[in-house]
Amino acid sequence: MGPNPKMKREFLDSTRSSPFPDEVLELVLSLLKSHKDRSAVSLVCKDWYNAESWSRTHVFIGNCYSVSPEIVARRFPIIKSVTLKGKPRFSDFNLVPENWGADVHPWLVVFATKYPFLEELRLKRMAVSDESLEFLAVNFPNFKVLSLLSCDGFSTDGLAAIATHCKSLTQLDIQENGIDDKSGGWLSCFPENFTSLEVLNFANLNTDVNFDALERLVSRCKSLKVLKVNKSISLEHLQRLLVCAPQLTELGTGSFTPELTTRQYAELESAFNQCKNLNTLSGLWEATALYLPVLYPVCSNLTFLNLSYTFLQSLELASLLRQCPRLRRLWVLDTVGDKGLEAVGSNCPLLEELRVFPADPFDEEIIHGVTEAGFVAVSYGCRRLHYVLYFCRQMTNAAVATIVQNCPDFTHFRLCIMNPGQPDYLTNEPMDEAFGAVVRTCTKLQRLSVSGLLTDLTFEYIGQYAKNLETLSVAFAGSSDRGMQCVLEGCPKLRKLEIRDCPFGNAALLSGLEKYESMRSLWMSACNVTMNGCRLLAREMPRLNVEVMKEDGSDDSQADKVYVYRSVAGPRRDAPPCVLTTLSGL
């Protein structure tokens, strides 16, 4: 199902300003896959704007309140795929009220009228109800792809509606959602003649699933490439699934703890041995050294190993990594310790991305963890590293300087020293020179998270050197308003600025008057911003949406949490009482 050719012809004829052929324009535009490139092309001239409107089939909306669904539908008549993001990222840390907004249903109502041919919907941090999922399932007959990441408000009843009605579904990807996990019976709602599934991910659901229904589904979907199950799936069940789907390229296992007989172990090892195309492995809940060797047959082809749910020690990780020479992405818990990271440096020369998560971020007396020594060891052995997320309890300026000298191509550098305001533990100096080294050395840097004891000098370095920086996250840092001012004045490509628990006030907020319109968003919480400062910003920049969250309903002058973003749709009308906007008395 698609647009009416006559309607398209009349639309283009009515807006044409030059005789440049439509066919040539559409052929050129079809080669552009990046939404950023297509947006830039649309600014060239009126003809290109119109042709880009008519030829675009996918739209990315980084903030659901930056535009309305009606405006999107007018601008792009033939969209088949939508990616839509809702709440600010700090909702992941419970800093955004639960009823903040970002309801997907108004979008679906418009899409049902304007895009009945919609095939793909990818949502992140949106409020999604069971009613919305059922509406989606029954109103889009060609629907194929549903991805829900960090969404909330729905239950397994909504998934049952998708399984029942979406006859052409190829992807169902449910990740890290706040879901009401009622039962595992939703898997039995897929019709017995349903065979089109290529991606199935329900790794983060908690309840048991109907394994017989899952096994039947997997066995008849011969094009299934991605399967990620939850921890209710035992090793014995996993073996049966692998026998049904040896063609998998990505696997998320269930629990890795139940005891196996010698025969069962051999059967599981044989099943893994048949998975010749597997390149991504995750899950492995509660894995122990006893069963890790069963993975060895697939390790030689792995490029991504996600062990972020696996409490491995250093020796266990080292044994596994020796089997993974092609690894490019690795996620682990800090239980692996510095010795485990030394094994990363010794065995993973092609590694490009490393994420080290804290097993227990709230236990200050914890005895395990990683330090600067493990990070330095990785940098010596993994010179291609360009993305890092590293949680640790201590760091030094010298270590960070060594790390970026060894790996100067970082595009994402997210260092999280978990004790707020922690200095260089050897010199007791601020960590300014560490991040100064990062922005001076890593000229391709796009995303930066800073932590530790930091003065305004860090932000002077960022403003001076981080010319390609797009996202900056700051917590418990800075000395004065000057720090934030340096960033806003000096980073021409900045799109997202996230700040919490910093001494920045109204002067810092108002220094970005011209900058905010070119950014996607600004978040400030637990800073020194006042309601008057927010009112002044809203008055001076009417094309920005300025929102203040005051969950306790107080009328004091302090602006607890401030969220600023550009919008062509004007102030939103669905804000709850705890969110003040220009429409609700800001």
Side-chain angles (χ1 to χ4, degrees):
M1 186 175 180
N4 187 316
K6 181 180 178 183
M7 183 175 69
K8 171 186 173 183
R9 196 162 52 247
E10 291 174 350
F11 172 81
L12 292 175
D13 288 345
S14 68
T15 55
R16 177 157 300 290
S17 60
S18 75
F20 203 72
D22 300 340
E23 295 78 9
V24 175
L25 272 178
E26 292 183 7
L27 178 62
V28 171
L29 293 177
S30 69
L31 301 176
L32 297 178
K33 305 304 179 185
S34 164
H35 67 272
K36 291 182 181 179
D37 291 341
R38 293 191 67 108
S39 297
V41 160
S42 70
L43 300 177
V44 171
C45 65
K46 193 172 184 179
D47 278 354
W48 285 44
Y49 177 91
N50 293 331
E52 200 278 324
S53 293
W54 202 270
S55 63
R56 187 187 289 219
T57 58
H58 173 259
V59 65
F60 170 88
I61 302 165
N63 179 348
C64 67
Y65 289 116
S66 66
V67 66
S68 70
E70 293 83 3
I71 292 173
V72 173
R74 286 197 302 268
R75 173 76 169 88
F76 304 110
I78 64 165
I79 292 299
K80 294 183 179 180
S81 172
V82 176
T83 298
L84 185 60
K85 294 185 177 183
K87 299 175 186 177
R89 190 179 70 90
F90 276 111
S91 65
D92 293 346
F93 306 99
N94 298 317
L95 294 179
V96 175
E98 286 187 13
N99 62 340
W100 181 82
D103 186 0
V104 74
H105 201 80
W107 290 82
L108 295 178
V109 171
V110 173
F111 290 169
T113 302
K114 302 296 184 180
Y115 303 142
F117 39 82
L118 187 73
E119 296 179 356
E120 302 181 5
L121 186 61
R122 294 176 171 85
L123 305 178
K124 186 173 184 179
R125 301 190 188 99
M126 296 290 292
V128 182
S129 67
D130 286 340
E131 291 74 20
S132 292
L133 290 178
E134 186 169 359
F135 183 90
L136 172 68
V138 300
N139 282 280
F140 301 92
N142 297 331
F143 193 73
K144 295 179 180 179
V145 174
L146 178 62
S147 174
L148 302 177
L149 174 59
S150 299
C151 297
D152 55 35
F154 65 100
S155 76
T156 45
D157 289 346
L159 300 184
I162 296 294
T164 300
H165 298 289
C166 296
K167 308 299 185 184
S168 302
L169 196 69
T170 61
Q171 296 185 31
L172 182 57
D173 193 357
I174 312 298
Q175 300 182 58
E176 301 176 13
N177 297 277
I179 182 172
D180 185 2
D181 207 345
K182 293 182 178 179
S183 76
W186 62 275
L187 279 169
S188 62
C189 294
F190 284 101
E192 289 300 325
N193 62 349
F194 175 82
T195 61
S196 60
L197 209 57
E198 299 173 7
V199 174
L200 177 61
N201 178 5
F202 60 93
N204 292 108
L205 300 190
N206 293 318
T207 57
D208 292 347
V209 296
N210 184 328
F211 177 74
D212 290 337
L214 174 61
E215 186 176 28
R216 291 196 304 272
L217 177 64
V218 170
S219 65
R220 65 179 181 265
C221 293
K222 301 302 181 184
S223 297
L224 191 68
K225 294 293 189 293
V226 178
L227 177 62
K228 298 181 181 181
V229 300
N230 68 1
K231 54 187 172 183
S232 74
I233 302 300
S234 67
L235 284 173
E236 184 179 0
H237 285 159
L238 181 65
Q239 182 266 332
R240 289 166 59 180
L241 293 175
L242 293 180
V243 169
C244 295
Q247 75 279 1
L248 291 176
T249 60
E250 298 185 24
L251 173 66
T253 77
S255 173
F256 237 67
T257 51
E259 293 185 7
L260 297 177
T261 65
T262 302
R263 178 184 59 80
Q264 289 173 327
Y265 185 96
E267 289 175 348
L268 181 58
E269 189 174 40
S270 175
F272 270 112
N273 200 41
Q274 296 305 309
C275 296
K276 306 297 185 184
N277 301 316
L278 206 62
N279 57 52
T280 297
L281 189 61
S282 60
L284 303 170
W285 277 278
E286 301 170 347
T288 62
L290 180 63
Y291 292 127
L292 287 180
V294 78
L295 303 172
Y296 291 173
V298 299
C299 285
S300 61
N301 288 325
L302 290 182
T303 58
F304 181 20
L305 183 57
N306 181 353
L307 301 170
S308 59
Y309 297 102
T310 310
F311 291 79
L312 292 186
Q313 303 300 310
S314 58
L315 292 178
E316 298 164 347
L317 179 65
S319 298
L320 191 56
L321 292 182
R322 280 194 285 270
Q323 312 297 322
C324 304
R326 300 182 183 181
L327 213 57
R328 285 172 169 77
R329 302 176 66 198
L330 175 64
W331 297 8
V332 295
L333 292 177
D334 62 3
T335 55
V336 301
D338 289 335
K339 289 294 183 182
L341 295 182
E342 288 176 14
V344 175
S346 301
N347 294 283
C348 305
L350 303 181
L351 197 70
E352 297 173 357
E353 175 183 324
L354 174 67
R355 304 193 190 197
V356 181
F357 300 97
D360 189 347
F362 303 108
D363 186 353
E364 296 184 3
E365 304 300 322
I366 205 160
I367 58 173
H368 62 253
V370 295
T371 72
E372 78 286 355
F375 200 171
V376 169
V378 171
S379 74
Y380 276 112
C382 308
R383 299 301 181 107
R384 299 186 183 187
L385 200 64
H386 62 75
Y387 188 121
V388 70
L389 172 60
Y390 196 83
F391 283 85
C392 62
R393 297 188 182 276
Q394 64 182 48
M395 187 56 61
T396 69
N397 287 299
V400 175
T402 299
I403 290 161
V404 297
Q405 192 67 40
N406 291 336
C407 305
D409 292 329
F410 275 114
T411 57
H412 295 67
F413 192 92
R414 303 166 67 188
L415 176 60
C416 302
I417 304 171
M418 288 184 284
N419 299 322
Q422 180 78 26
D424 179 319
Y425 79 98
L426 291 181
T427 67
N428 211 36
E429 293 292 321
M431 293 296 296
D432 297 327
E433 295 307 321
F435 292 101
V438 172
V439 294
R440 277 194 301 266
T441 307
C442 305
T443 57
K444 301 175 184 176
L445 195 67
Q446 298 172 14
R447 184 171 183 177
L448 176 64
S449 296
V450 298
S451 57
L453 178 62
L454 299 174
T455 72
D456 287 344
L457 182 58
T458 290
F459 303 102
E460 292 178 17
Y461 286 143
I462 293 172
Q464 184 175 357
Y465 296 105
K467 300 307 179 183
N468 287 309
L469 191 66
E470 297 180 2
T471 299
L472 175 63
S473 301
V474 181
F476 304 97
S479 310
S480 69
D481 288 336
R482 176 62 184 157
M484 183 171 167
Q485 290 168 346
C486 288
V487 171
L488 292 170
E489 293 169 3
C491 300
K493 296 184 179 181
L494 191 66
R495 302 187 68 232
K496 293 178 68 176
L497 180 55
E498 304 170 337
I499 302 172
R500 56 172 296 195
D501 296 275
C502 292
F504 305 144
N506 290 343
L509 175 69
L510 297 173
S511 68
L513 286 180
E514 303 303 324
K515 186 72 175 178
Y516 298 142
E517 286 198 337
S518 67
M519 291 170 54
R520 183 188 296 174
S521 64
L522 165 71
W523 169 278
M524 296 181 73
S525 61
C527 295
N528 293 331
V529 175
T530 69
M531 294 297 293
N532 283 337
C534 295
R535 292 188 186 101
L536 182 56
L537 175 61
R539 186 164 61 247
E540 292 293 321
M541 306 298 290
R543 288 183 294 184
L544 293 176
N545 280 3
V546 181
E547 301 183 0
V548 178
M549 302 169 213
K550 296 177 76 69
E551 296 176 55
D552 60 0
S554 66
D555 58 358
D556 59 40
S557 64
Q558 200 71 16
D560 301 340
K561 300 167 186 174
V562 182
Y563 186 45
V564 180
Y565 56 91
R566 60 185 181 184
S567 177
V568 296
R572 63 186 178 112
R573 299 181 179 277
D574 64 346
C578 62
V579 177
L580 302 178
T581 70
T582 54
L583 295 179
S584 58
L586 175 64

